């Protein structure tokens, strides 16, 4: 393979991977802390995309600014879902919470279909930032900026969990709910904040993805399954793992698409998942996030 | 005259349908160290859980700082100035020693948290050395230091300590005892639950003996230490 082509495909993969990392970090947080496999996650991404789309069409707000808007909207939606509904079964076995979020997703996703229809929307920026060229490699600047922003958000989430008061409470509740309660932590609130943060990451990623991919409620499962694969790749509940897993998946898909054709991207992800489950069930990083 | 700083009055409580505490009346005065002793399953930890709001009383009254608290949640109790060092330390594994200590100050919004962190490091210099280390890698004694440090980071007026000496070597217990006296001198009252009656009586000036969920004996520890029943049942003399 020619060197330029190799690097072109590598760069494409990394750009995609940065966005995947952002999606997966939120999914992983919710799974790791709340032990909930959140089937709603893909739909949250789509809602973020629609928010950015309509903010651009009607208000002229650039999608990169809408990242904040979409994040806030999704945080509120996520917080309310957890506080109002999911908290009731939060300590239940994972199958119960999975069924619940599956049901909620059917409801939410179908509501989106009713409101927005399944037709694909494409957000075309009036003033795209152009294309960067370096040693024969082409990178659309909008995509690059989206990736940088996504990775920045992922790092921000990492920082929040490591070094902020709310992050400490999230980890503390995960480790020992009763002891955290004795420290004055309101566990129900913290669970809802955690779920809200997961949704925020999904929504922000969705806003950035709106400048790259067509938008429709039916793409939600695509994002959900990628988040799932990345979590297994990177190890559960660790933001750093989601970052590494996301980049790896992006690159693998990119090269796989080149070799086997882009229509096989999902097949490649799941083959990777199966191989990993067989040979390295704890993920690339070799450890679970909260142990 | 009854003491309004902290008092349980004829409290009954339990888990589900099972009653564990009957008619418990205990009190702690400002700046006092009081101990609660009793055999396994007597209801000591249950009493502390009740004080902290993890368990609701079935009947009776809980008075903290001159006010009766009714249906208070753990964060409200903590805000009223009652902190707890739970049985078995219950540190947050996967979090650094420093972050564990900061969890104790979770409810505080004032600017003096850093100062108090230094105060804890002053009491337990080893914690400063280990501050970046995962709490689960600490030795048993260090874990208890961290748990006590976390307990005082909330700036309590009354600190509840469950099983200070559990699983620790006598030398470490001796050291912790001295530190608790120091903490007490800063104006923090202590209610100490302890299996090791000798240690408890050395530290506290009053004691309550619990048996099967009732207060069976109470009084100044120097008198309790001479009580034949206590000597026989708890001190093995
Ligand atoms: N979560 C619970 N659910 C049901 N019963 C409980 C629970 N916790 C404690 N008990 C029961 O309450 C009684 C008192 O227990 P508690 O832990 O208060 O005793 P303790 O005096 O602290 O004993 P130890 O010295 O062994 O710590 C015991 O009979 C115990 O079985
Ligand atoms: Mg106990």
């Amino acid at each position: 393979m020619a060197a330029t082509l190799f690097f072109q495909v590598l760069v494409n993969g990394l750009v995609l991977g940065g966005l995947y990392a952002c999606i997966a970090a939120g999914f992983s947080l919710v799974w790791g802390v709340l032990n909930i496999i959140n089937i709603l996650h893909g739909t949250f991404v789509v809602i973020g995309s629609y928010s950015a789309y309509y903010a651009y069409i009607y208000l002229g707000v650039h999608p990169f600014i809408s990242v904040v808007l979409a994040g806030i909207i999704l945080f509120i939606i996520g917080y309310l879902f957890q506080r109002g509904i999911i908290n009731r079964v939060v300590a239940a076995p994972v199958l119960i919470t999975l069924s619940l979020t599956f049901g909620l997703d059917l409801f939410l996703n179908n509501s989106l279909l009713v409101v927005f229809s399944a037709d694909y929307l494409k957000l075309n920026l009036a003033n795209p930032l152009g294309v960067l060229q370096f040693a024969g490699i082409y990178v659309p600047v909008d995509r690059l900026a989206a990736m940088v922003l996504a990775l920045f958000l992922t790092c921000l989430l990492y920082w929040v969990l490591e070094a902020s008061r709310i992050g400490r409470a999230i980890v503390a509740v995960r480790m020992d709910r009763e002891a955290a309660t004795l420290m004055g932590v309101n566990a129900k609130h913290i669970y809802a904040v955690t779920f809200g943060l997961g949704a925020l990451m999904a929504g922000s990623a969705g806003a950035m993805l709106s400048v790259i991919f067509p938008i429709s409620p039916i793409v939600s499962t695509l994002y959900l399954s990628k988040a799932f694969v990345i979590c297994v790749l990177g190890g559960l509940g660790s933001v750093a793992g989601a970052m590494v897993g996301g980049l790896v998946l992006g690159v693998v898909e990119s090269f796989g698409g080149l070799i086997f054709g882009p229509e096989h991207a999902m097949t490649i992800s799941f083959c990777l998942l199966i191989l990993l489950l067989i040979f390295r069930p704890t993920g690339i990083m070799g450890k679970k996030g909260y142990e | 005259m009854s003491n309004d700083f902290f008092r349980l009055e004829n409290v009954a409580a339990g888990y589900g349908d099972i009653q564990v505490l009957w008619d418990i009346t205990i009190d702690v005065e400002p700046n006092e160290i009081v101990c609660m002793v009793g055999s396994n399953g007597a209801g000591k930890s249950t009493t502390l859980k009740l004080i902290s709001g993890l368990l609701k009383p079935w009947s009776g009254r809980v008075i903290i700082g001159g006010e009766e608290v009714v249906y208070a949640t753990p964060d409200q109790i903590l805000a009223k100035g009652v902190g707890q060092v739970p049985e078995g330390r219950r540190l947050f594994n996967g979090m650094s020693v420093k972050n564990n200590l900061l969890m104790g100050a979770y409810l505080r919004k004032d600017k003096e948290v850093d100062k108090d962190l230094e105060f804890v490091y002053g009491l337990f210099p080893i914690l400063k050395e280990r501050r970046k280390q995962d709490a689960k890698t600490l030795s048993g004694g260090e874990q208890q230091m961290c748990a006590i440090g976390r307990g005082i980071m909330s700036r309590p007026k009354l600190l509840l300590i469950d099983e200070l000496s559990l699983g620790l070597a006598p030398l470490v217990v001796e050291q912790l005892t001295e530190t608790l006296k120091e903490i007490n001198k800063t104006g923090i009252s202590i209610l100490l639950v302890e299996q090791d009656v000798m240690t408890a009586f050395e530290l506290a000036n009053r004691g309550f003996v619990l048996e099967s969920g009732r207060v069976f004996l109470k009084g100044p520890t120097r008198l309790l230490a001479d009580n034949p029943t206590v000597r026989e049942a708890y001190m093995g003399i």
Side-chain angles (χ1 to χ4, degrees):
Chain A
M1 196 190 304
T4 10
L5 180 62
F6 176 83
F7 281 110
Q8 180 68 57
V9 175
L10 182 67
V11 167
N12 292 351
L14 288 176
V15 167
L16 208 56
L19 290 159
Y20 288 173
C22 191
I23 298 176
F27 184 72
S28 179
L29 174 72
V30 168
W31 194 349
V33 172
L34 303 177
N35 198 26
I36 292 172
I37 299 178
N38 179 22
I39 305 294
L40 284 156
H41 203 70
T43 302
F44 285 164
V45 175
V46 172
I47 295 176
S49 294
Y50 276 116
S51 310
Y53 180 84
Y54 285 108
Y56 188 66
I57 299 294
Y58 290 117
L59 307 172
V61 179
H62 194 281
F64 290 162
I65 296 169
S66 299
V67 165
V68 179
L69 176 80
I72 293 171
I73 292 175
L74 268 299
F75 179 85
I76 294 169
I77 295 177
Y79 187 95
L80 293 178
F81 263 89
Q82 179 72 28
R83 194 83 201 229
I85 304 170
I86 307 173
N87 259 345
R88 292 165 200 279
V89 296
V90 75
V94 76
L95 192 63
I96 304 233
T97 53
L98 182 103
S99 312
L100 177 62
T101 60
F102 180 73
L104 290 173
D105 187 54
L106 282 180
F107 170 75
L108 192 62
N109 200 274
N110 281 292
S111 306
L112 292 185
L113 278 172
V114 171
V115 176
F116 299 111
S117 87
D119 294 343
Y120 283 99
L121 292 178
K122 184 78 189 82
L123 193 159
N124 293 308
L125 290 174
N127 304 301
L129 294 171
V131 176
L132 204 70
Q133 193 198 347
F134 178 77
I137 301 165
Y138 293 86
V139 193
V141 178
D142 287 312
R143 289 190 175 213
L144 190 66
M147 172 196 127
V148 171
L149 202 57
L151 287 180
F152 170 75
L153 269 179
T154 313
C155 292
L156 196 65
L157 180 67
Y158 181 81
W159 178 85
V160 164
L161 291 177
E162 285 293 310
S164 76
R165 175 174 173 272
I166 206 86
R168 282 195 293 273
I170 289 173
V171 180
V173 167
R174 163 71 177 83
M175 286 302 165
D176 188 336
R177 178 180 173 163
E178 192 178 80
T181 308
L182 281 176
M183 303 299 123
V185 176
N186 178 346
K188 288 206 160 97
H189 169 68
I190 292 298
Y191 286 151
V193 167
T194 308
F195 199 81
L197 282 177
L200 180 151
M201 294 302 286
S204 306
M208 289 178 271
L209 286 162
S210 70
V211 299
I212 303 177
F213 294 120
I215 307 158
S216 161
I218 57 176
V219 296
S220 71
T221 43
L222 208 70
Y223 295 133
L224 175 68
S225 46
K226 285 189 204 301
F228 193 83
V229 174
I230 292 166
C231 264
V232 179
L233 264 175
L236 207 54
S238 114
V239 175
M243 179 103 86
V244 174
L247 291 172
V248 168
L249 184 69
V251 170
V252 167
E253 272 192 13
S254 190
F255 278 100
L258 178 74
I259 298 165
F260 302 105
E263 68 275 21
H264 294 301
M266 274 322 283
T267 322
I268 294 160
S269 318
F270 278 100
C271 288
L272 190 67
L273 177 68
I274 291 167
L275 287 178
L276 229 100
L277 285 174
I278 295 171
F279 293 108
R280 205 171 163 80
T282 50
I284 304 175
M285 310 278 275
K287 64 163 190 155
K288 294 190 185 170
Y290 293 105
E291 297 227 322
Chain B
M1 204 200 97
S2 64
N3 162 32
D4 276 349
F5 174 69
F6 172 77
R7 184 156 43 101
L8 292 184
E9 227 176 70
N10 311 108
V11 165
Y15 302 92
D17 292 337
I18 302 164
Q19 186 162 1
V20 173
L21 301 179
W22 279 267
D23 202 25
I24 300 278
T25 299
I26 58 175
D27 68 306
V28 182
E29 286 173 20
N31 302 316
E32 195 184 20
I33 303 184
V34 171
C35 70
M36 190 158 57
V37 298
S39 46
N40 291 114
K44 306 180 297 291
S45 299
T46 304
T47 306
L48 294 195
K49 276 188 205 166
L50 179 125
I51 298 170
S52 290
L54 289 176
L55 208 64
K56 301 279 167 261
W58 294 359
S59 62
R61 307 206 303 154
V62 181
I63 286 130
I64 300 173
E67 282 173 52
E68 178 169 0
V69 296
V70 184
Y71 291 120
T73 52
D75 51 319
Q76 289 166 339
I77 302 278
L78 192 64
K80 281 184 171 292
V82 179
Q84 186 177 150
V85 179
E87 187 172 11
R89 288 73 141 148
R90 305 284 285 271
L91 295 180
F92 302 111
N93 293 340
M95 275 167 80
S96 68
V97 169
K98 183 180 169 190
N99 278 348
N100 266 277
L101 293 174
L102 287 175
M103 275 310 294
Y106 178 75
L107 285 185
R108 287 177 54 184
K109 302 237 154 56
D110 58 290
K111 299 244 175 335
E112 302 205 328
V113 173
D114 285 337
K115 206 178 101 191
D116 288 359
L117 202 57
E118 284 309 316
F119 175 69
V120 171
Y121 289 152
L123 290 175
F124 305 112
I126 187 79
L127 292 185
K128 183 163 195 175
E129 259 173 62
R130 303 278 149 91
R131 65 186 181 280
K132 292 194 176 128
Q133 215 164 296
D134 189 331
K136 75 175 168 208
T137 64
L138 296 179
S139 75
E142 289 161 0
Q143 286 189 15
Q144 189 64 290
M145 292 174 195
C146 189
I148 292 171
R150 188 179 66 177
I152 58 178
M153 281 301 289
S154 68
R155 282 207 171 170
K157 298 191 189 81
L158 171 64
L159 186 62
L160 315 173
I161 303 178
D162 201 348
E163 307 285 7
L164 176 74
S165 71
L166 193 75
L168 301 180
L171 204 66
V172 180
V173 176
E174 190 64 35
Q175 201 185 330
L176 287 173
T177 307
E178 290 310 312
T179 315
L180 285 188
K181 285 180 188 160
E182 233 178 283
I183 291 171
N184 178 241
K185 284 202 190 90
T186 68
I188 298 175
S189 306
I190 296 173
L191 176 58
L192 175 72
V193 163
E194 185 53 60
Q195 293 271 349
D196 176 3
V197 176
M198 301 275 196
T199 302
F201 284 3
E202 192 216 312
L203 205 55
N205 61 322
R206 279 194 304 138
F208 292 85
V209 182
L210 253 64
E211 212 40 69
S212 310
R214 296 168 207 268
V215 177
F216 161 70
L217 277 172
K218 62 177 182 178
T221 47
R222 61 189 158 74
L223 295 184
L224 288 177
D226 289 337
N227 183 303
T229 324
V230 174
R231 289 172 77 88
E232 195 178 329
Y234 305 106
M235 300 168 86
I237 307 172

